[in-house]
Amino acid sequence: MCCCPGLGKRHELSSRAFSFIADGANWSGANGLGQRLLAHLGYTLAAVTIAAVVALPLGVLMGHTRRGVNGVVAVSGALRALPSLGLLTWLTLEFSFGVRIPVIPAIVTLVILAIPPMLAGTVTGVMAIPRGVVDSARAAGFSESDIVRQVELPLAAPSIVGGIRSAAVQVLATATIVAYIGLSGLGRYLIDGLALRDYPQMLVGALMVALLALAVDGVLALCQRLLRPNTGMRN
């Protein structure tokens, strides 16, 4: 006999959520897990790609010249402190097309979230390269663009991927909020489940987001490990 009724309810809740995920019938259709998973990945990929186009060149430039770094740190800290849901709501209402085309404020919000970790990882990686290495490349006749391409980027690659990894996981976890303005994605299970008090449905959304974040984090962690310079030494 169970001495803790709450424990039994939690076990039943988890069982129903896992059964929902394991049922192949729930993966098909326009509102199935498959489509919502793809939509969630689509929002994440779009935001991370746009953020990379902005943050990576800027981070490399600032790390190479070592100018404006303090300003970047201050701005990045301010962007990290912005409440994502509040920003999403404000952008949706502020843009004249925000309600009609909600994907635009959604992507803008996620891009703003993704830029700081990418920028920080890139600047840190480039600035961590010993000055002697860069000076030696200049003495050997390398141009500034050659130094960036052939010296700084290869050596800073693990830190750059680390910034992308951090940004991707944060965006994946936060992309659930786009359901708040009527978009698809795994956040629909949280929003709809809360409205209906369907707690197993909410748990499905939370589990899927967590599993997806772990999978993406694992892949990018492997990439980060493979990009580490080979020093020829064994641990």
Side-chain angles (χ1 to χ4, degrees):
M1 181 177 179
C2 179
C3 61
C4 182
L7 182 61
K9 290 181 179 179
R10 286 195 295 271
H11 177 71
E12 180 185 359
L13 180 65
S14 300
S15 297
R16 290 173 61 186
F18 281 112
S19 296
F20 184 94
I21 295 173
D23 188 349
N26 294 323
W27 286 79
S28 60
N31 295 321
L33 269 170
Q35 287 298 318
R36 288 181 174 178
L37 179 63
L38 289 175
H40 201 95
L41 283 172
Y43 303 139
T44 301
L45 181 60
V48 170
T49 300
I50 295 170
V53 170
V54 174
L56 300 190
L58 181 60
V60 170
L61 176 63
M62 301 189 79
H64 178 74
T65 61
R66 308 205 172 199
R67 295 176 181 174
V69 175
N70 291 335
V72 168
V73 171
V75 172
S76 295
L79 290 177
R80 288 175 187 267
L82 288 174
S84 298
L85 183 57
L87 178 62
L88 174 64
T89 304
W90 179 76
L91 289 175
T92 302
L93 297 176
E94 185 69 18
F95 289 171
S96 59
F97 50 81
V99 175
R100 291 183 290 105
I101 315 175
V103 70
I104 295 179
I107 295 299
V108 170
T109 300
L110 297 178
V111 167
I112 291 173
L113 177 68
I115 285 177
M118 283 194 203
L119 197 55
T122 304
V123 171
T124 300
V126 175
M127 291 188 65
I129 299 170
R131 296 299 298 176
V133 174
V134 177
D135 291 340
S136 297
R138 286 197 180 101
F142 281 50
S143 66
E144 294 303 309
S145 60
D146 288 337
I147 291 172
V148 171
R149 291 196 310 269
Q150 300 179 38
V151 178
E152 291 178 334
L153 283 179
L155 293 176
S159 181
I160 293 172
V161 174
I164 295 172
R165 175 185 172 189
S166 177
V169 172
Q170 288 184 42
V171 171
L172 268 172
T174 309
T176 54
I177 65 172
V178 304
Y180 181 73
I181 56 173
L183 294 176
S184 184
L186 297 174
R188 287 255 54 98
Y189 292 108
L190 299 173
I191 298 296
D192 296 343
L194 181 62
L196 299 172
R197 295 189 179 182
D198 186 345
Y199 301 116
Q201 183 179 169
M202 294 179 67
L203 185 56
V204 166
L207 285 172
M208 289 297 297
V209 170
L211 292 172
L212 186 59
L214 286 172
V216 170
D217 184 65
V219 170
L220 292 177
L222 178 60
C223 293
Q224 188 177 5
R225 183 180 181 85
L226 292 174
L227 288 170
R228 287 176 184 167
N230 185 5
T231 61
M233 298 177 61
R234 296 180 181 270
N235 292 330

